Every structure is written in C-alpha cells, then in structure tokens.
Amino acid sequence: MFVCSLKAFKQAQEEEELQLKEEIFKALDDILTNLKNSERFVFDQLLEKLKTKLNQDPILSKWLETPDALSRLRTYIINYQSSNTVLTQRVARPAVATLALPQHPEGYFLALAKGISRKLFSQHHVNKILYIQVPELEPVIMDNDWLCRMDMALLRNPPQLDALRETIVQCVVGCDLPLLIWHNNDATGHERVKQIKTWLNERNLDENRIIDLGLKSTDSLSHLFQPTKLVELMPDELAELLVAKLDNLNISIKFLPDNVDICRDIGQKFEHYLLSYLWEGVSEKLEMPNLIIGLDRELQFSQQMKEQNLDQQLRDLLEKNSNTKSYATVLNEVVRKFFDTFMGQHRAEIQGLAQAHLKGLHEGDKQ
C-alpha cells in the first residue's frame, strides 16, 4: 500500500509540474502575442514580464514566493525558446563599440569615443546622448530603432568604470548636447549619477550637462505599477516612458534647427529644385540670381511657402508617429511636394518668363 501511495504521490507531482509548465508557456504565448512584431527584447525583460503576468493568479503568485521559483522560471523560458523559433528571432543581440549613432531611416552604426564631435552629431541629426545603466538593454534600444526615432546617440557601457569616465568626459568636451542618464530606481543607480557628476567636477566641466532621467513614472497609471528596474518594462513601455520624460524636460524628440534656419533651408531647397529645372539646356545663357528674383516677384513662391506654413508642416511630419527619418529627408519631401504642385500650376509661366529673360539678355548683348 505504501508503494501505491508513493506512486500516486509521484504521479500527482508530475501532473502538477505539467500543469505549471502549460500555464507558464501559455503566459509566454500571451506576452509574445501582445507585442509588436518589430519589438526586440532581452531575456531579463521577458522574465520580469512573465513574473508580473503570473502574479495575477493567486496560486501562481504563491508559487513565485518559493525559493527555487526564479531559477525554474529561467529553465522554463529556455525550454520554451528551444521549441519556439519566434522567441529566438525576437531577442535583441548585443553589439560591441563605444557609441551607437542613428543611420536614418533605420539602423545604426558604431563609433569610438575619440571620434566624438559637434560635426559628427550634426551630420547624423543627433540632438542628445543617452547612457543607460543596464548594459543588457542597449541592444533593445538599437534593435528597436530608438536612435532613429528619437535622433539620439547611445553611449554604451564599457567593461571598466575608468573607460566610462573617460568616454563621458569626451562626450561633454567634444559637443554641447545634453547627456541623459537612465538608471534603475535603486541606490546603485542614484550613485552612478553622483559618480558621473563628480567626474565632471574633477575636470572643471559643467555637471548641468548631465540630466538624470531616473525611472519613476509620472503617467496616470503610475499608482498601479511603479517599476524599480528598467528590465521590468517591455520595449514599447520603455519607449513610451522615455518619450514622456523627454517631453516633461522640454527636450525635443527629433533634431530640428532654429525656426530661422528651417525657413532658410526650405527656401534654399526650393531654389535648388527650380534652378535644376531651369538649368537644363540654357545654363550658360541665364543670369540665375536675377532670374530667380524676377520669378519670385511675378509668381510669389516665397510668399506661398510662408502662407502654406512649410516650416510647420516639416516639424509636424518629423515629430509625429515616432518618425525615423532625418531632418534632411523630411525637408526634401516637404519642399519637393510644394515644388511639384507649384510647377504643375506655373510651368508655362516659368517657361515664358525664362524665355523673356533670355531675350532680354540677347538684346543686351547686341547693344
């Protein structure tokens, strides 16, 4: 009878283990289903999300309090991954280098700290630098195209603390961009911010260039769930929190020049398109500056650009829906659209004015 009882106990354990495995695998299925196909995450994020989901069930929540629950959860995820190719494809992979910069409209490239300069960041439309305390989350930022979406560079965690100090100093000396520090809401995270400011003070550099993002959420749901570790949030949740923090700090998500420069760029780009059109076949005969002035006087294209608020159109397009395109690309698109419409309406007039201009030059030569 004892043997029968032992066998029944063992069978009950096996059934309980199987049921637990099914519940965990189902929870993992639900997590993956609720994520976008483009989201890439690291193992620790998936583990934290799984714990949160299991805690919603009273029985599983109690099981999570057992001493070996965490190690068993890791084993379950590994077993799930071995039979699920989708999970393997969704895991963000780490890269090796000091600085990651956006390569619009998608992707990134890596650079060394010694190459940091205002010119480098300006060429790639970067308006801020992000350092994240948790190195495991760096591939999440890069693989999900946050660098292009938010026009920022990522300062990666080097193996040694001394190397981090030198890289941060190089960033502050080499450019005038804000350096954002994103860390866990714990003593280690807060200490890292203090340490970085101390490094700058030791070099007589402005510590106000350092902006502490922290982790505390300020949205309407923050009273329901307040994370203490960055890995407790999945990629889209992290991105939404970062965008909200930047907005609260009045730090622009996208790289944008000053208003005067935007209007100047729009005018120059339009003139470039117009000159390209007029240039074909008659370039050697036209006095381009006088012709452009005459065309604007007759057709009022500068006034039309102001009335249609091309500068505001550019800002709106660049800042909406996490646009991964650069300022230069959107500038081209906005002005090209205006140019095509303008030419559709005034092509014959432009040709007539250009011919009249040529005739005037020809008659001037005769005299």
Side-chain angles (χ1 to χ4, degrees), residues 27-42:
L28 288 168
D29 285 339
D30 291 343
I31 291 171
L32 291 180
T33 299
N34 289 322
L35 293 175
K36 294 178 181 176
N37 290 333
S38 59
E39 280 193 83
R40 299 293 179 265
F41 50 82
V42 291

Side-chain angles (χ1 to χ4, degrees), residues 35-52:
L35 293 175
K36 294 178 181 176
N37 290 333
S38 59
E39 280 193 83
R40 299 293 179 265
F41 50 82
V42 291
F43 186 89
D44 284 349
Q45 285 178 296
L46 184 61
L47 178 63
E48 292 297 333
K49 181 60 69 173
L50 179 60
K51 286 163 58 179
T52 300

Side-chain angles (χ1 to χ4, degrees), residues 14-15 33 49 71 86 88-89 101 115 122 130 152 155 162 184 187 189 202 209 235 250 275 279 307 311 348:
E14 290 175 350
E15 290 176 355
T33 299
K49 181 60 69 173
S71 62
V86 174
T88 302
Q89 295 167 358
L101 292 99
S122 178
L130 176 68
M152 66 184 179
L155 175 59
D162 286 347
N184 291 332
E202 290 172 350
R209 292 279 299 283
N250 292 318
L275 287 172
W279 199 255
E307 291 174 355
D311 55 335

Side-chain angles (χ1 to χ4, degrees), residues 1 21 29 38 199 247 331 346 354:
M1 185 171 177
K21 178 182 176 181
D29 285 339
S38 59
W199 291 338
D247 187 54
L331 172 66
H346 302 288

Side-chain angles (χ1 to χ4, degrees), residues 220-312:
S220 59
L221 299 177
S222 60
H223 66 285
L224 300 177
F225 173 62
Q226 191 63 258
T228 58
K229 295 186 294 184
L230 290 164
V231 295
E232 292 176 22
L233 300 173
M234 292 305 279
D236 268 16
E237 295 169 330
L238 274 174
E240 288 173 9
L241 180 59
L242 179 55
V243 167
K245 286 181 175 295
L246 293 175
D247 187 54
N248 288 336
L249 292 166
N250 292 318
I251 297 175
S252 177
I253 302 298
K254 300 294 287 184
F255 171 92
L256 272 170
D258 294 334
N259 291 343
V260 173
D261 293 333
I262 292 176
C263 293
R264 181 203 63 208
D265 291 343
I266 289 171
Q268 289 179 347
K269 184 63 63 176
F270 177 83
E271 287 187 13
H272 168 77
Y273 287 134
L274 186 57
L275 287 172
S276 297
Y277 171 78
L278 295 169
W279 199 255
E280 297 177 5
V282 293
S283 60
E284 70 283 356
K285 300 177 183 179
L286 296 176
E287 292 180 359
M288 285 300 179
N290 292 335
L291 177 57
I292 292 294
I293 292 171
L295 289 174
D296 195 15
R297 183 171 57 247
E298 294 293 330
L299 302 177
Q300 299 288 304
F301 54 77
S302 293
Q303 184 62 31
Q304 289 185 50
M305 284 189 277
K306 290 179 182 178
E307 291 174 355
Q308 294 185 31
N309 294 318
L310 294 196
D311 55 335
Q312 190 59 51

Side-chain angles (χ1 to χ4, degrees), residues 42-80:
V42 291
F43 186 89
D44 284 349
Q45 285 178 296
L46 184 61
L47 178 63
E48 292 297 333
K49 181 60 69 173
L50 179 60
K51 286 163 58 179
T52 300
K53 192 168 186 62
L54 296 180
N55 264 318
Q56 296 172 4
D57 185 300
I59 297 176
L60 294 175
S61 178
K62 190 171 183 179
W63 174 80
L64 285 172
E65 296 174 0
T66 59
D68 63 341
L70 190 58
S71 62
R72 289 176 68 184
L73 267 187
R74 292 180 182 275
T75 302
Y76 281 125
I77 293 177
I78 292 171
N79 292 339
Y80 179 86

Side-chain angles (χ1 to χ4, degrees), residues 105-123:
E106 61 181 24
Y108 59 89
F109 70 96
L110 305 173
L112 298 176
K114 63 182 181 181
I116 291 173
S117 67
R118 292 180 180 87
K119 183 178 179 181
L120 175 69
F121 291 131
S122 178
Q123 284 176 338

Side-chain angles (χ1 to χ4, degrees), residues 184-200:
N184 291 332
N185 190 17
D186 57 20
T188 304
H190 295 297
E191 185 58 37
R192 178 58 53 87
V193 178
K194 291 180 183 178
Q195 180 67 69
I196 290 172
K197 289 186 176 182
T198 299
W199 291 338
L200 297 186

